[in-house]
Amino acid sequence: MRGNFTGLLFKLRWLHWRGYHKSSEPLILCLENLVILDLSLSAVADDWEGWTQIMEKANKLKVLDLTGCSQLRKTPCFPADSKLERLILEGCSHLSVIDESIGNLKNLKSLNIKSTWIFLLPKEMGSLDNLKEIFVDKTSIHDLHFLRGSMQKLKTISASSCKNLAEICKDIGCLKSLSYLALDESNIKGLPNDVTSLDGLVELSLRDCRRITALPDSVGMLKSLQKVDLSNTRIKILPDSIKNLDKLEVLRMNKTPIRTFPTDIANLGKLQVITFSDCRSMQGEIPRDISGLSSLRILALSFTLIGSLPECICHLSHLQTLHLLGCDELQTLPKLPSSIVSLRWGTKNMRVVQDFSYLRDLKDLELVNVPDEGDIPSSELSQTESFGWISSLSNLETLKLCLPNVTSLPEVFNALPRLKTLDLSCINLRNLPQLPPSLSKLLIKNYKSQSIDFSNLKTLSELELCDCNVWKILGLGNLRLLQVLKISGCKIVNLVGLEQASLLRRLSLSDCEYLKRLPDLSKCTNLESKEIDFSNIEDHITLGLDWDGSSVLNLFRTTCKLKIKGTGEDKLRGINSITLRGCDDFSSSRCCATRSLQLMERRPVILFIQDLYEV
């Protein structure tokens, strides 16, 4: 678009001109009533003639969006009477300077310079009395300084992923309206003591600040604080004053070297979320009396050395999520509150699978026992009757079992009407009853029986079999909704019925040494997988190639004859790479797709041929 539009569009208020490219002929618009101007992803630069027109005529402009304008190196020169309230410069990848005229933006409420090369905020910003939020994430900023008495309306400072940010000035304590402070992944060593003067601070995030080893002792003075994230810092202990944060709702300290569960938080009645997952140094017991955590909804202690949970945990009537995976010292659990919705427990020392039938609201259950090899004698293997309670969990939607001491599941296992995802990694599982027909995702590992029946799983969309003794899959033809099939390390002889899975989009077969033949897959026109692996196939492989995504066809250790069904070069548009590896007897005379490969050579197709004796 070009030309003079002065007499037209007189009432223009919102101009969305995304992706504008400069032209030799200037564009003249009527901008007197323009309120919002979106030039995101445009080719505008510092010397663009349009800036003069905008700054002189757009006297009512309140929003200027320059997201992704990669040619911009410096912000425009803003007039003294500017009404601009929102300036977005996110993703201006070459922007390194903020013009000092930004001090003229007396009405500016929001400044976003995320993902730019800005390394310094000009002192003129101290006059932006109406500024409420500033986003400097992923910039080269190396310090944050605030003039005492300035920016009294500032509520949000977001400075995450500023790798060079090493200093926060003490005058940050003068920002009386500040409610959100995020300094994730910065290089700061700690917070200045004056930060405790931020009476209105609601959320503090220091996630991944690896140089921080402690919080100010007076952190308890932040009376409005509701959310704190200290994950992946080097904080070993919380200040005693933490007990004074009576409005605290969320405390996250994942991947920290904290050594014991802090007793000072045990009576914070509004605390809803506590996460200490991956705190590998945390050991000992949870305080005996945590009944004061009356609002607690989520408790995550996975991959810690916690040895026990207190008996009073059953009184936490709001607790819904309890995650205890990788807690190798936690051999048993006390009675849990009936409100639990998600329970994940894993240990090396689980000798008995506890009865959780009283958890009627349970939707997500994961039980993992990974003892050292040979640790559990065969005489201790559990039988079906010790595990029958699981059929009473009628609300269960996700179930993962990795239990060496379970050899079979209860016969009424299919009486779980809402179960969608099932993961069975029980290394001694010998018998499978009929599975719930509601399943959409199924993973089975180390199954010992030679056959398996999926006839009733008509809604199954993902199936994975790994290291199973299975020779025969029954009912594969009934899986009309199957989209993903992965089989590895199994003794499968054939895949009869797979040709009916017309919705199949990903297929992976590896280390199936007894599988010599595949069905005709030409009807599976939705295949869009990045990798399709076939191993040891000796007979024909027939594929229908109507793929829209870029695909890779890998043939490993095969002597098969490859057939590609389709008419014309257009049918091969989905393949961009073919790899033949370890195919000792594969030769061009055995490849029925030779002409197809020649057609594909006209396009940027890569043909990898490795370890072939004849090609």
Side-chain angles (χ1 to χ4, degrees), residues 29 73 210 335 419 463 470 503 527 544:
L29 292 170
R73 298 179 182 275
R210 298 292 294 152
K335 186 175 181 180
L419 194 65
L463 173 61
V470 174
L503 299 180
L527 279 170

Side-chain angles (χ1 to χ4, degrees), residues 162 181 186 234 240 307 321 413 488 542:
C162 296
L181 177 60
S186 67
R234 294 186 178 179
D240 294 342
T321 299
F413 190 68
S488 60
T542 305

Side-chain angles (χ1 to χ4, degrees), residues 202-213:
V202 173
E203 185 168 352
L204 173 64
S205 185
L206 302 172
R207 188 178 64 250
D208 297 319
C209 293
R210 298 292 294 152
R211 299 183 69 191
I212 292 183
T213 58

Side-chain angles (χ1 to χ4, degrees), residues 305-318:
L305 296 175
I306 290 294
S308 65
L309 297 181
E311 296 292 332
C312 68
I313 195 172
C314 65
H315 299 308
L316 301 182
S317 59
H318 292 93

Side-chain angles (χ1 to χ4, degrees), residues 176-194:
K176 297 302 183 181
S177 298
L178 196 65
S179 61
Y180 177 89
L181 177 60
L183 303 170
D184 305 335
E185 295 185 76
S186 67
N187 202 32
I188 61 174
K189 292 183 179 180
L191 295 174
N193 288 326
D194 294 60

Side-chain angles (χ1 to χ4, degrees), residues 471-613:
W471 289 72
K472 192 175 186 179
I473 300 179
L474 302 175
L476 199 56
N478 290 355
L479 308 185
R480 302 295 179 95
L481 300 181
L482 192 67
Q483 298 183 38
V484 177
L485 176 61
K486 302 178 186 178
I487 302 178
S488 60
C490 297
K491 296 181 179 180
I492 298 292
V493 175
N494 63 61
L495 293 173
V496 175
L498 185 60
E499 67 276 5
Q500 302 299 324
S502 59
L503 299 180
L504 194 68
R505 58 180 177 81
R506 183 170 184 180
L507 175 62
S508 178
L509 307 172
S510 60
D511 297 320
C512 299
E513 58 181 311
Y514 297 98
L515 185 61
K516 307 297 182 182
R517 181 183 178 88
L518 288 181
D520 184 343
L521 300 178
S522 60
K523 294 181 181 179
C524 303
T525 56
N526 292 310
L527 279 170
E528 56 186 24
S529 169
K530 295 294 183 184
E531 294 187 9
I532 304 175
D533 302 337
F534 301 109
S535 303
N536 301 300
I537 306 299
E538 295 178 351
D539 211 326
H540 294 76
I541 295 179
T542 305
L543 300 174
L545 299 181
D546 238 345
W547 307 335
D548 292 327
S550 63
S551 297
V552 179
L553 175 60
N554 296 330
L555 279 74
F556 301 154
R557 301 182 304 281
T558 180
T559 59
C560 72
K561 183 177 292 187
L562 176 64
K563 290 184 177 181
I564 302 178
K565 282 190 176 182
T567 55
E569 186 176 359
D570 63 312
K571 293 296 182 181
L572 299 170
R573 65 183 182 274
I575 292 187
N576 63 9
S577 172
I578 294 182
T579 300
L580 308 177
R581 186 185 309 147
C583 307
D584 298 352
D585 299 320
F586 195 98
S587 69
S588 58
S589 61
R590 290 185 57 83
C591 182
C592 295
T594 302
R595 180 174 178 276
S596 299
L597 294 177
Q598 291 174 347
L599 286 172
M600 292 167 65
E601 287 175 359
R602 301 175 189 171
R603 300 169 55 249
V605 174
I606 303 172
L607 176 61
F608 298 98
I609 303 178
Q610 303 176 17
D611 307 324
L612 302 190
Y613 292 93

